[in-house]
Amino acid sequence: MSSYSIHSTPGDTAWFRHDRFGMFIHWGLYSMPARHEWIKSYEKISEEKYEKYFRYFDPDLYDAREWARQAKAAGMKYAVMTTKHHEGFCMFDSQYTDYKCTNTPAGRDLVREYVDAFRAEGLRVGFYYSLIDWHHLDFTIDQIHPRRDDPDAQQQNQGRDMNRYAEYMRNQVTELLTNYGKIDILWFDFSYDKAPGTPDWMQGKGKDDWQAQQLIDTARRLQPGIIIDNRTQLEQDLWTPEQYQMRRWPRHPETGELVTWEACQTFSGSWGYYRDEMTWKSPEMLVQMLVNTVALGGNLLMNVGPTSRGYLDSRAQKALEVYADWMKYNSRSIYGCTMAEPEWLALCPNGCKMTQSEDGKRLYIHLFEYPYQYLELDGFAGKVDYMQFLHDGSELLYDEGEVQHFSEGHTRNPGLLAVKLPVVKPNVIVPVIEVFLK
Ligand code: GLC
């Protein structure tokens, strides 16, 4: 069994650490301007102008079953969809606001269709819920609010009551965790400090503004096993590094224990659909990102930003197909795997990444660089029972102790195990060697 002891979590995270790979879905009115989900703040768009997106939002091509099929094929085992993003628009039929999808030409509860479709495909479902709300009249104007530079911004805050807003959030979280069956993940986003140089009356917002403990208590009362992230400023189940490749398994700041963590990343440079954004990650980077994350005991939540018409554009579909092609044959090195034990990590060759099955019996060597003819594994001799390429289950032969190449003296090493590799790299973005340990 894995020797890594993990900081205990209030929620049920055992399935989560097994399943490793999920789909993030950022979908809202911001899919119409199609230039980032923060567009209302970036361009300080007026309510009147933003209202047009509300008036014309009509995802006539929305087919949640198609999204779910693509997520499942990509090897994703769970999904987290935005129920409300910073713009404040609700993708579900909330009784606490009129600013919701059922009042747009969409005319239906889009979250309901997401939940039903993904469950039908056997995936677990989570909700992203923004703590920030640039539409709600009790949410005070601050350094990131679209109205921040209005001449009367400070006066607009008169009468705004964050206590009322915190109650609104509790009411909506109650709706979300009552009306849609079992929800596996609740993903709050996000707390922020006061920015340097902003006027004194503008403040960041954190756990006290959200009344975070009450919010979390509400969620856990309704769904006791639910997994909750750390962005209310109260550490819960998940650490959530974003758009960042961790280089070590994060540890709890107080206890020093390893934590349950999930990296969230985008295919391109935006969470919401961004038509003209071109920094789409290469197929190699997508696969290596997943392997790098699991190799450090983490999960990857990879994001899609659907169009306002309700479908995933061709670029997102191609990226999902990269995962589908690789995971179809190599998911055994991901599901139920974690960081390799220290004694194996110490032997990991350059250009490779290791994962290990939770039961410790199988080691997976991911060839990020493909060596010529041999992969030399120092320290492996005598410890391996069998080896194969994971993608096609073809045996890999190996020499132990030395490699015959007319200068054996230079490579004779009792601990050496040299795997014989085909000169031509298999047609796999990242070939994986499955090692059955003795
Ligand atoms: C950041 C972005 C937000 C996005 C989130 C995803 O908080 O501001 O738009 O939803 O990351 O983790």
Side-chain angles (χ1 to χ4, degrees):
M1 292 307 283
S2 168
S3 68
Y4 298 115
S5 68
I6 295 170
H7 181 69
S8 65
T9 60
D12 167 19
T13 50
W15 71 264
F16 183 82
R17 284 188 299 274
H18 175 277
D19 287 357
R20 290 299 183 208
F21 192 28
M23 176 183 270
F24 217 168
I25 304 168
H26 276 69
W27 196 31
L29 292 183
Y30 46 79
S31 305
M32 294 188 74
R35 44 190 194 273
H36 201 279
E37 73 283 356
W38 271 61
I39 195 61
K40 187 174 184 182
S41 174
Y42 289 162
E43 296 182 9
K44 301 171 197 169
I45 298 175
S46 68
E47 286 306 313
E48 183 191 6
K49 168 75 167 55
Y50 213 81
E51 176 74 13
K52 289 185 181 169
Y53 304 135
F54 180 84
R55 212 174 323 141
Y56 295 112
F57 181 60
D58 181 11
D60 58 321
L61 299 179
Y62 176 45
D63 176 0
R65 288 297 296 259
E66 180 52 30
W67 294 8
R69 278 192 291 271
Q70 292 179 52
K72 183 178 184 180
M76 293 161 164
K77 292 289 189 180
Y78 63 95
V80 178
M81 182 165 123
T82 51
T83 58
K84 175 186 77 122
H85 203 265
H86 309 339
E87 65 182 4
F89 177 72
C90 295
M91 299 291 273
F92 64 104
D93 188 11
S94 169
Q95 64 174 326
Y96 296 99
T97 181
D98 294 332
Y99 201 51
K100 58 185 177 177
C101 55
T102 46
N103 289 344
T104 69
R108 61 205 208 270
D109 187 325
L110 303 172
V111 162
R112 169 81 58 199
E113 293 180 27
Y114 148 72
V115 166
D116 293 347
F118 278 69
R119 271 203 199 110
E121 289 295 327
L123 279 77
R124 290 175 183 260
V125 293
F127 291 150
Y128 168 109
Y129 184 83
S130 175
L131 300 164
I132 298 164
D133 191 317
W134 295 325
H135 179 81
H136 198 286
L137 291 179
D138 280 320
F139 189 89
T140 52
I141 296 166
D142 60 18
Q143 65 212 28
I144 56 175
H145 195 286
R147 305 276 63 77
R148 61 188 176 280
D149 290 339
D150 287 5
D152 64 342
Q154 190 173 3
Q155 287 66 35
Q156 288 183 51
N157 273 346
Q158 305 306 318
R160 289 188 183 225
D161 181 348
M162 281 296 286
N163 289 316
R164 274 202 303 260
Y165 175 67
E167 182 185 15
Y168 171 78
M169 288 202 289
R170 287 194 296 277
N171 288 336
Q172 288 204 319
V173 165
T174 298
E175 288 182 306
L176 287 167
L177 300 187
T178 303
N179 301 337
Y180 298 91
K182 183 178 186 308
I183 303 304
D184 297 286
I185 300 169
L186 185 57
W187 221 99
F188 289 114
D189 186 45
F190 68 100
S191 303
Y192 46 99
D193 297 327
K194 181 180 183 304
T198 51
D200 291 343
W201 63 269
M202 284 191 187
Q203 294 298 322
K205 289 186 172 69
K207 59 183 184 298
D208 298 333
D209 302 286
W210 319 129
Q211 296 176 14
Q213 194 55 63
Q214 289 185 63
L215 192 58
I216 287 164
D217 292 347
T218 300
R220 294 206 185 281
R221 173 170 42 78
L222 293 164
Q223 303 250 4
I226 199 163
I227 295 173
I228 299 176
D229 72 330
N230 61 345
R231 296 192 178 185
T232 62
Q233 275 184 344
L234 294 181
E235 301 300 356
Q236 293 296 310
D237 302 285
L238 290 189
W239 267 249
T240 57
E242 171 182 320
Q243 304 284 34
Y244 179 71
Q245 187 57 62
M246 298 296 286
R247 280 154 183 75
R248 61 189 60 79
W249 191 334
R251 291 184 176 273
H252 191 282
E254 274 102 51
T255 69
E257 296 168 288
L258 298 169
V259 297
T260 300
W261 67 282
E262 175 190 67
C264 51
Q265 294 275 5
T266 50
F267 283 141
S268 70
S270 172
W271 301 92
Y273 179 65
Y274 193 148
R275 182 191 64 213
D276 304 337
E277 209 283 333
M278 297 301 169
T279 62
W280 288 73
K281 296 174 177 66
S282 69
E284 291 73 16
M285 186 174 278
L286 292 177
V287 174
Q288 291 187 7
M289 216 168 233
L290 175 59
V291 172
N292 280 326
T293 303
V294 177
L296 290 173
N299 282 36
L300 177 64
L301 187 64
M302 184 54 87
N303 181 75
V304 293
T307 63
S308 71
R309 295 289 301 274
Y311 66 88
L312 305 183
D313 74 317
S314 59
R315 298 168 299 183
Q317 293 201 37
K318 283 193 179 66
L320 288 171
E321 284 158 17
V322 167
Y323 280 122
D325 292 348
W326 190 82
M327 286 290 276
K328 182 175 180 180
Y329 302 107
N330 298 286
S331 63
R332 224 162 47 209
S333 76
I334 300 297
Y335 302 143
C337 287
T338 189
M339 184 158 80
E341 293 296 300
E343 62 268 27
W344 293 112
L345 279 181
L347 303 174
C348 188
N350 292 334
C352 297
K353 271 287 183 328
M354 278 183 187
T355 62
Q356 187 163 6
S357 57
E358 282 282 1
D359 63 12
K361 295 176 180 171
R362 287 167 289 123
L363 206 55
Y364 293 95
I365 303 173
H366 302 78
L367 303 178
F368 282 11
E369 294 168 12
Y370 191 76
Y372 170 67
Q373 278 225 345
Y374 283 99
L375 178 71
E376 298 204 354
L377 298 172
D378 272 339
F380 275 66
K383 299 175 184 175
V384 171
D385 187 44
Y386 185 71
M387 269 186 175
Q388 62 182 10
F389 268 138
L390 180 55
H391 67 279
D392 65 356
S394 59
E395 181 179 16
L396 288 169
L397 301 173
Y398 49 86
D399 296 328
E400 291 186 303
E402 65 181 5
V403 178
Q404 306 296 332
H405 53 63
F406 297 105
S407 59
E408 291 75 24
H410 298 285
T411 55
R412 192 165 293 123
N413 161 6
L416 173 68
L417 184 151
V419 192
K420 295 178 183 173
L421 295 174
V423 171
V424 178
K425 177 185 172 187
N427 181 27
V428 181
I429 282 186
V430 175
V432 184
I433 298 175
E434 184 170 42
V435 183
F436 294 84
L437 299 169
K438 279 181 178 170

